[in-house]
Amino acid sequence: MKNNNIEPIRLAVFASGRGSNLESIMNNIKACRLDAKIVVVISNNSKSGALELAVNNKVAAHHISRLQFETEESYINHLLEVLKKCDTQLVILAGYMKKVPVKIIQTYKHRILNIHPALLPSFGGKGLYGKYVHEAVLEYGCKVSGATVHIVDEEYDTGPPVYQQCVPVLNDDSPETLAARILKVEHEIYPKAIQLFAEGRVTVHGRKTIIANP
Ligand code: GAR
């Protein structure tokens, strides 16, 4: 729930694909349910729906790919420069399919969030993203799956969870039907998790995040 006494937290959103999580964050801001401002959207994919959404909503949009730079260092420095120029307070990975460079993770320690379409630590890690997650869940015969918002550390999908929600797996689910049921939950929990940061209620103790009462 939006708190009138706090400054909107400044978000940089990284996204590679269609951008439905970005859109849900935008909608929650517009509906005054989230005390946040999206200051920049960055994508490694020039054709991503996320960049289009940013442009349509008059948010700064940058296509930044490692391929545009001669060295890894100049690529990372450019990303950092863009983030700093916008006074980024929290980095939001919303379907971002590239690994975030370690220097950025260290610069924004405990201030980078990711959403993963499963209940971590199950069905996470390298190669488990998007539809591959749901295929693996169904192949295993799981009865529940879900979504996890977590703090990003140096590895894939291993940082401390902030928010998790279960979703039932139905007998006749396909990867697509399960993905759609989970995506609905993603759109609900990601803005809620971001609001916890906007309200300054999240502290990290080792692997554990503690959410303070409002
Ligand atoms: C979402 O389901 C998100 O959880 C997943 O990619 C999709 C992006 O959709 N992310 C991962 O699998 C990361 N490991 P969107 O572009 O519509 O937000």
Side-chain angles (χ1 to χ4, degrees):
M1 182 66 78
K2 190 172 150 81
N3 178 337
N4 286 327
N5 299 323
I6 59 178
E7 277 288 298
I9 192 164
R10 298 174 68 81
L11 310 178
V13 180
F14 282 57
S16 303
R18 77 196 141 181
S20 74
N21 273 289
L22 169 63
E23 190 170 23
S24 103
I25 292 166
M26 285 175 166
N27 289 342
N28 275 273
I29 294 172
K30 283 180 200 155
C32 297
R33 284 191 293 264
L34 176 54
D35 295 296
K37 177 181 167 73
I38 300 174
V39 291
V40 65
V41 171
I42 293 171
S43 183
N44 58 305
N45 171 10
S46 63
K47 306 235 167 353
S48 66
L51 283 182
E52 200 179 317
L53 256 170
V55 170
N56 291 343
N57 284 277
K58 301 191 170 36
V59 172
H62 294 260
H63 168 226
I64 304 176
S65 152
R66 168 69 182 86
L67 303 175
Q68 299 160 332
F69 299 85
E70 278 191 6
T71 63
E72 179 77 8
E73 201 189 357
S74 54
Y75 160 64
I76 296 170
N77 286 341
H78 182 67
L79 278 173
L80 274 174
E81 209 173 283
V82 171
L83 292 176
K84 283 185 180 159
K85 239 186 186 161
C86 302
D87 280 332
T88 300
Q89 293 175 302
L90 195 64
V91 176
I92 301 298
L93 308 187
Y96 187 61
M97 300 308 177
K98 291 278 166 199
K99 205 162 187 195
V100 177
V102 171
K103 193 170 170 191
I104 294 182
I105 292 171
Q106 286 167 351
T107 308
Y108 289 90
K109 189 167 177 185
H110 296 160
R111 291 188 293 141
I112 306 180
L113 300 183
N114 181 40
I115 190 152
H116 184 76
L119 294 174
L120 292 173
S122 293
F123 304 105
K126 195 164 194 248
L128 278 171
Y129 58 88
K131 69 171 184 162
Y132 302 110
V133 176
H134 309 298
E135 283 172 3
V137 166
L138 292 176
E139 203 167 295
Y140 197 87
C142 290
K143 298 297 184 192
V144 289
S145 188
T148 302
V149 177
H150 66 94
I151 290 173
V152 173
D153 65 9
E154 281 86 347
E155 301 303 325
Y156 279 114
D157 302 328
T158 57
V162 176
Y163 212 115
Q164 293 189 292
Q165 194 162 312
C166 289
V167 170
V169 176
L170 305 182
N171 288 337
D172 57 356
D173 261 334
S174 64
E176 292 73 26
T177 57
L178 180 58
R181 196 174 313 114
I182 291 176
L183 193 64
K184 244 177 122 180
V185 166
E186 292 183 44
H187 294 165
E188 286 165 23
I189 70 170
Y190 215 178
K192 284 185 186 167
I194 296 166
Q195 179 65 12
L196 294 176
F197 282 81
E199 292 176 10
R201 288 170 56 195
V202 184
T203 47
V204 185
H205 302 263
R207 281 217 51 80
K208 227 183 188 171
T209 58
I210 309 282
I211 315 295
N213 288 328

